[in-house]
C-alpha cells in the first residue's frame, strides 16, 4: 500500500490528520514526510494501519481523511450493514432487469415468499429496476443477494457490465468486505477492503475510500464500500430500494475450464507425479485416455445411467472432445445450485443449531459436481487440458469413497502404459457402487442418525428419571416422576407389584407421612382421603386452620421449609385411580420430609416389601 498519497487526486485535495487532530494538506507537503509503516492486520470488519511520522522527537499517527463530498457518500450508506449481517448489493448501469437477472443466474419466474421453506434452503436474490434513473448509458438496475456472493464473481460482473458498468459490495458475518467493479465486460478490480490488497488497478476516483478503510479502524467498511459503488456507477444506493422486493431463486453460473498444465492442474497439490505422468502421455493416446477416464468417473459416481450424463458421455469421442449441450448446462447449473443449498444447510447446522447433512447426502452432491467438472473438461478442445482436468475430477470422486490411493495407483499405471500404447481400460480401480448401493448406504445412515437421536433423547430423559429412562407405565404417572428423583431404585421395585399390594403401600405411606406431620387426625384431611380433593384448596385450609401446629426443617439445599406443607401432597394419592401412581405419590411425599427421616422412611418401605 502507498505510504504517502499523491498531492492531488481527481481534482480534490488529499488530507491527513495527526493524532492531535491537526490537518495536513498533501499540496503543502509536496515531498511528503518520511513515513515508516508499522501496520498491523486484524481481520474482523476492519484492519488498522498506523503511519508513524517522526518529527521534532514526537511521534504522530496519520489517518486518512475523506473530503466532505466523499464523507456524505459514506454517510448515505451507513444503513447497509444494519440491513443484513451478510449480503451482496450490485448496481448495474446499462442493463435492464431481464439482462441483469440472466447475468446473475436469477430465475425471475421462481419467486420465494419470506415464510416459505425455500427461504432457508435456496440462494436468493432480488433484481429491481431503478426507476427514473435511465441515463445516457441506458437503464439502471440493482441486484440484492441474501447471504450470496454472485456479485463478487468475475464471471458474473463481466457479463453484467457488457452494456456499461457494474459494481458490487459483498459482506459476510466473518467481517469480510469485498468491493468489485467492471466496465464494458472487463473486471477492473476486486478485493477485500482493509486487507492491503494491491490497489494499483483500482480506479483513481475510488482510492481515497480504499485507503481510509485501511487507516481508520472506526470506519464501517460496508458503508465505505457502498460509497465506492455509488462513486463508480454514479448511482447513490438508497435504502428504499431493498424494501418489499421480490426474492427469486439463484442458479449460479458455472466457470468455464481454463487451459491446464502440470503446474496449474489441481493434481499438483497432492499428486504432482500423476500430473507429470499424464503430460507424458502421447498426443494420439490422450483423447482415448480421456474417453476411458470420464466413463470410470461416471461409474464411480453412480451417475452413468443419468439421462443427461449418458448423453454427454456418448458425445465424448475417442479421438475428439465431447459436446456441451443445453441440457448438460442446465444439469450442471442444477448441481451448482444443490451445492449452494448444501452450503446453506451446513452453515445453519454450525451457526443456527440446525441439523447437518449426512455423509452420503454431502458426498452425492460432491460427486455430481466433480462429475460435472470431468464432463466439462472432457468437452474441452485442448487435449492436455482435458486429460488433466478429467483426471483431477476423477481422483476427487474416488477420494469421496475412500479409494484415492487405489485410484492414483491405477491412473499412474495407466498413464505409463499410455505413453506408448492405447489405454481402453484402467486396471486396478475398485468396483463401482450402483445407485441402489448408494441409496442403501443413505438409508443406513438415516437409520443410524434416528437411533442416535433416540438414544440422545432417552439419555436426556434419563437425567430427569434418576439416571435411567422410564418405562411406558412410568411415563403416564406423575407420582412415578416425583419418586424417580427421590429413590429410582424403589420406583423400579414398585412397578411389577400387584394392585392390591400397591394400594396397601399407598395407605401405609400416606398415613405415615401425614401422621408424622401432625395432619392425619384433622377432619378435613380425613375427608380428603375418602374422595376427590383439590390440592390447592387443601393448602388454603392448611394455612388457615388454627388446629394445625406448624413446624419447619432445613431441606437438602439449606432452605427452611414447612413440614406440613411438604407432607400434605400425600393426600393426592387418594385421588389417583391408578394404584401404581397412587403408591408412588404417597412415597414421593415421604421423601420430602427432613433428610434423615426421609432416608429412614425409604429403608422401612423396603423392609415392609421384603426387599
Amino acid at each position: 500500500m502507498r505510504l504517502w498519497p499523491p498531492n492531488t487526486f481527481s481534482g480534490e485535495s488529499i488530507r491527513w490528520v495527526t493524532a492531535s487532530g491537526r490537518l495536513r494538506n498533501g499540496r503543502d507537503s509536496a515531498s511528503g514526510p518520511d513515513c515508516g509503516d508499522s501496520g498491523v492486520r486484524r481481520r474482523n470488519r476492519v484492519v488498522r494501519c498506523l503511519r508513524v511520522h517522526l518529527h521534532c522527537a514526537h511521534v504522530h499517527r496519520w489517518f486518512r481523511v475523506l473530503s466532505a463530498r466523499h464523507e456524505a457518500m459514506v454517510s448515505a450508506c451507513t444503513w447497509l450493514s444494519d440491513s443484513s449481517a451478510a449480503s451482496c448489493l450490485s448496481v448495474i448501469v446499462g442493463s435492464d432487469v431481464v439482462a441483469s437477472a440472466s447475468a446473475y443466474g436469477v430465475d425471475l419466474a421462481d419467486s420465494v415468499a419470506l415464510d416459505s421453506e425455500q427461504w432457508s434452503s435456496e440462494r436468493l436474490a432480488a433484481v429491481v429496476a431503478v426507476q427514473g434513473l435511465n441515463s445516457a448509458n441506458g437503464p439502471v438496475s440493482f441486484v440484492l443477494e441474501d447471504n450470496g456472493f454472485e456479485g463478487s464473481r468475475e464471471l458474473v460482473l463481466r457479463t453484467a457490465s457488457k452494456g456499461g458498468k457494474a459494481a458490487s459490495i459483498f459482506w459476510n458475518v466473518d467481517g469480510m468486505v469485498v468491493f468489485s467493479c467492471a466496465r464494458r465486460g472487463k473486471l477492473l478490480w476486486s478485493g477485500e477492503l482493509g486487507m492491503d490488497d494491491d490497489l494499483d488497478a483500482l480506479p483513481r476516483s475510488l482510492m481515497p475510500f480504499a485507503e481510509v478503510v485501511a487507516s481508520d479502524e472506526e470506519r464501517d467498511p460496508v458503508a465505505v464500500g457502498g460509497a465506492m459503488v455509488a462513486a463508480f456507477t454514479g448511482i447513490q444506493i438508497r435504502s428504499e430500494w431493498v424494501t418489499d422486493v421480490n426474492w427469486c431463486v439463484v442458479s449460479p453460473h458455472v466457470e468455464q475450464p481454463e487451459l491446464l498444465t502440470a503446474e496449474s492442474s489441481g493434481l499438483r497439490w497432492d499428486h504432482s507425479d500423476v500430473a507429470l505422468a499424464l503430460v507424458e502421455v502421447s498426443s494420439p493416446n490422450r483423447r482415448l485416455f480421456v474417453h476411458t477416464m470420464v466413463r470410470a468417473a461416471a461409474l464411480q459416481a453412480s451417475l452413468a445411467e443419468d439421462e443427461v450424463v449418458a448423453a454427454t458421455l456418448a458425445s465424448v469421442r475417442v479421438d475428439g472432445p465431447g459436446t456441451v449441450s443445453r441440457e448438460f448446462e442446465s444439469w450442471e447449473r442444477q448441481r451448482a445450485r444443490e451445492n449452494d443449498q448444501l452450503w446453506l444447510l451446513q452453515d445453519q447446522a454450525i451457526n443456527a443449531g440446525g441439523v447437518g447433512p449426512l455423509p452420503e447426502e454431502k458426498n452425492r452432491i460432491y460427486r455430481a459436481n466433480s462429475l460435472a467438472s470431468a464432463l466439462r473438461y472432457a468437452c474441452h478442445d485442448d487435449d492436455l487440458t482435458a486429460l488433466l482436468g478429467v483426471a483431477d475430477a476423477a481422483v476427487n470422486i474416488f477420494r469421496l469413497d475412500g479409494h484415492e490411493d487405489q485410484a492414483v495407483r491405477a491412473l499412474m499405471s495407466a498413464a505409463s502404459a499410455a505413453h506408448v500404447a492405447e489405454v481402453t481400460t484402467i486396471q486396478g480401480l475398485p468396483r463401482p457402487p450402483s445407485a441402489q448401493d448408494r441409496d442403501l448406504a443413505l438409508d443406513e445412515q438415516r437409520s443410524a442418525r434416528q437411533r442416535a437421536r433416540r438414544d440422545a433423547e432417552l439419555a436426556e430423559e434419563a437425567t430427569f428419571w434418576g439416571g435411567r429412562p422410564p418405562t411406558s407405565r412410568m411415563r403416564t404417572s406423575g407420582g412415578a416422576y416425583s419418586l424417580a428423583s427421590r429413590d429410582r431404585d424403589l420406583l423400579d421395585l414398585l412397578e411389577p407389584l400387584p394392585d392390591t399390594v400397591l394400594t396397601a403401600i399407598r395407605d401405609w405411606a400416606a398415613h405415615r407421612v401425614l401422621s408424622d406431620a401432625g395432619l392425619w387426625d384433622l377432619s378435613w384431611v380425613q375427608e380428603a382421603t375418602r374422595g376427590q380433593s383439590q390440592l390447592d384448596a387443601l393448602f388454603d385450609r392448611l394455612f388457615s386452620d388454627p388446629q394445625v401446629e406448624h413446624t419447619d426443617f432445613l431441606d437438602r439445599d439449606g432452605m427452611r421449609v414447612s413440614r406440613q406443607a411438604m407432607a400434605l401432597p400425600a393426600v393426592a394419592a387418594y385421588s389417583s385411580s391408578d394404584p401404581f401412581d397412587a403408591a408412588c405419590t404417597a412415597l414421593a411425599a415421604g421423601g420430602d420430609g427432613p433428610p434423615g427421616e426421609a432416608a429412614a422412611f425409604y429403608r422401612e418401605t423396603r423392609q415392609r416389601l421384603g426387599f
Side-chain angles (χ1 to χ4, degrees):
M1 173 171 283
R2 186 182 293 106
L3 296 180
W4 188 251
N7 295 330
T8 58
F9 202 75
S10 299
E12 296 198 24
S13 170
I14 291 182
R15 301 175 295 169
W16 299 79
V17 62
T18 67
S20 62
R22 290 178 298 156
L23 291 174
R24 290 184 63 92
N25 190 308
R27 289 197 178 111
D28 296 333
S29 306
S31 60
D34 181 14
C35 293
D37 187 3
S38 61
V40 293
R41 295 185 177 185
R42 188 183 66 189
R43 187 197 185 89
N44 188 10
R45 294 292 307 271
V46 291
V47 175
R48 186 174 187 174
C49 180
L50 300 179
R51 291 173 174 82
V52 180
H53 170 53
L54 300 178
H55 180 64
C56 298
H58 295 289
V59 178
H60 300 276
R61 288 187 301 174
W62 298 87
F63 296 94
R64 187 69 168 83
V65 175
L66 292 174
S67 68
R69 183 172 68 88
H70 287 163
E71 285 287 4
M73 296 175 70
V74 173
S75 297
C77 295
T78 54
W79 60 272
L80 278 173
S81 55
D82 294 330
S83 67
S84 175
S87 189
C88 184
L89 192 147
S90 308
V91 175
I92 306 108
V93 177
S95 176
D96 60 19
V97 167
V98 174
S100 296
S102 176
Y104 279 70
V106 179
D107 186 354
L108 296 175
D110 191 0
S111 59
V112 176
L114 293 177
D115 57 352
S116 169
E117 292 183 358
Q118 284 183 280
W119 183 261
S120 59
S121 63
E122 297 278 7
R123 186 182 291 184
L124 304 173
V127 186
V128 181
V130 181
Q131 302 297 329
L133 288 180
N134 286 1
S135 62
N137 294 320
V140 178
S141 58
F142 80 88
V143 180
L144 178 65
E145 301 175 59
D146 177 64
N147 199 22
F149 53 86
E150 290 301 290
S152 65
R153 297 178 60 200
E154 180 177 357
L155 172 65
V156 172
L157 287 174
R158 286 202 316 263
T159 304
S161 67
K162 285 182 178 179
K165 50 189 173 181
S168 69
I169 180 68
F170 158 78
W171 66 98
N172 67 10
V173 294
D174 296 324
M176 177 181 288
V177 181
V178 176
F179 170 78
S180 309
C181 58
R183 181 185 289 116
R184 299 294 178 187
K186 179 182 179 181
L187 182 71
L188 301 182
W189 193 84
S190 181
E192 186 173 356
L193 298 181
M195 289 301 295
D196 283 347
D197 283 352
D198 185 5
L199 302 180
D200 289 344
L202 185 69
R204 294 190 51 152
S205 61
L206 305 180
M207 197 75 72
F209 298 104
E211 290 180 338
V212 79
V213 173
S215 66
D216 186 356
E217 68 174 354
E218 299 302 322
R219 288 285 182 175
D220 176 3
V222 179
V224 175
M228 294 172 73
V229 172
F232 181 78
T233 61
I235 307 298
Q236 180 62 55
I237 301 172
R238 301 184 183 279
S239 59
E240 55 264 27
W241 291 358
V242 302
T243 58
D244 298 327
V245 295
N246 182 35
W247 294 99
C248 299
V249 171
V250 177
S251 296
H253 291 291
V254 180
E255 297 279 357
Q256 303 306 309
E258 298 180 354
L259 289 173
L260 295 179
T261 65
E263 291 73 25
S264 64
S265 166
L267 293 168
R268 72 187 185 279
W269 301 113
D270 298 320
H271 305 295
S272 57
D273 51 346
V274 176
L276 294 174
L278 292 172
V279 170
E280 296 301 322
V281 172
S282 61
S283 296
N285 293 335
R286 286 178 177 174
R287 280 296 171 186
L288 180 57
F289 203 166
V290 169
H291 182 271
T292 304
M293 272 197 304
V294 74
R295 279 161 175 75
L299 288 171
Q300 185 63 31
S302 306
L303 290 169
E305 296 181 0
D306 180 274
E307 183 178 352
V308 175
V309 172
T312 308
L313 285 173
S315 74
V316 179
R317 307 190 308 276
V318 297
D319 57 352
T323 301
V324 176
S325 64
R326 289 188 176 182
E327 290 76 16
F328 174 74
E329 289 182 332
S330 177
W331 183 88
E332 186 180 38
R333 291 185 68 183
Q334 180 59 32
R335 304 290 80 77
R337 179 174 169 181
E338 291 172 354
N339 197 62
D340 279 348
Q341 292 170 340
L342 175 63
W343 181 86
L344 290 172
L345 187 62
Q346 291 174 314
D347 180 67
Q348 290 170 359
I350 295 172
N351 298 316
V355 178
L358 292 166
E360 176 58 22
E361 290 174 334
K362 292 189 295 185
N363 287 345
R364 61 177 51 196
I365 292 175
Y366 293 150
R367 283 192 297 267
N369 277 274
S370 292
L371 181 59
S373 177
L375 291 169
R376 176 66 75 166
Y377 275 111
C379 298
H380 203 285
D381 292 333
D382 182 72
D383 293 348
L384 181 58
T385 296
L387 189 62
L388 292 170
V390 171
D392 185 29
V395 169
N396 286 335
I397 292 172
F398 283 97
R399 178 187 295 121
L400 293 170
D401 289 323
H403 301 312
E404 180 178 4
D405 293 341
Q406 189 175 352
V408 167
R409 288 193 298 268
L411 285 177
M412 282 291 293
S413 177
S416 298
H419 291 172
V420 294
E422 294 183 347
V423 174
T424 57
T425 58
I426 300 177
Q427 302 294 331
L429 292 177
R431 182 188 71 84
S434 66
Q436 291 73 22
D437 293 333
R438 302 287 191 192
D439 291 341
L440 180 60
L442 181 57
D443 288 341
E444 290 175 348
Q445 290 176 13
R446 286 172 175 165
S447 297
R449 170 176 280 183
Q450 290 174 353
R451 290 193 299 271
R453 183 184 295 118
R454 178 58 180 163
D455 290 344
E457 291 173 351
L458 290 175
E460 182 180 8
E461 186 181 33
T463 62
F464 300 100
W465 285 86
R468 292 186 295 279
T471 64
S472 57
R473 186 179 187 184
M474 292 178 186
R475 285 194 180 93
T476 63
S477 169
Y481 180 80
S482 299
L483 182 58
S485 61
R486 293 158 175 82
D487 193 329
R488 175 55 196 266
D489 291 338
L490 179 58
L491 175 63
D492 290 335
L493 294 174
L494 290 178
E495 186 177 24
L497 298 179
D499 289 351
T500 54
V501 175
L502 291 170
T503 300
I505 293 173
R506 178 202 67 179
D507 293 341
W508 170 81
H511 180 271
R512 172 69 177 274
V513 171
L514 294 168
S515 295
D516 288 348
L519 300 177
W520 180 260
D521 293 330
L522 296 173
S523 60
W524 55 271
V525 172
Q526 286 295 308
E527 182 181 350
T529 62
R530 292 191 292 269
Q532 300 291 327
S533 299
Q534 295 295 324
L535 199 56
D536 290 342
L538 294 178
F539 271 106
D540 292 339
R541 189 71 178 271
L542 174 69
F543 291 106
S544 63
D545 187 349
Q547 298 183 52
V548 176
E549 183 178 349
H550 290 279
T551 58
D552 55 33
F553 64 91
L554 292 177
D555 67 7
R556 294 178 180 85
D557 297 324
M559 299 289 292
R560 188 164 295 280
V561 296
S562 166
R563 177 160 192 171
Q564 288 67 40
M566 300 305 290
L568 187 60
V571 175
Y574 293 94
S575 299
S576 177
S577 59
D578 177 14
F580 174 67
D581 178 64
C584 291
T585 300
L587 289 170
D592 289 337
E597 293 184 22
F601 172 76
Y602 286 138
R603 285 196 299 271
E604 184 178 351
T605 302
R606 283 178 168 80
Q607 292 173 359
R608 286 181 171 275
L609 293 173
F611 297 120

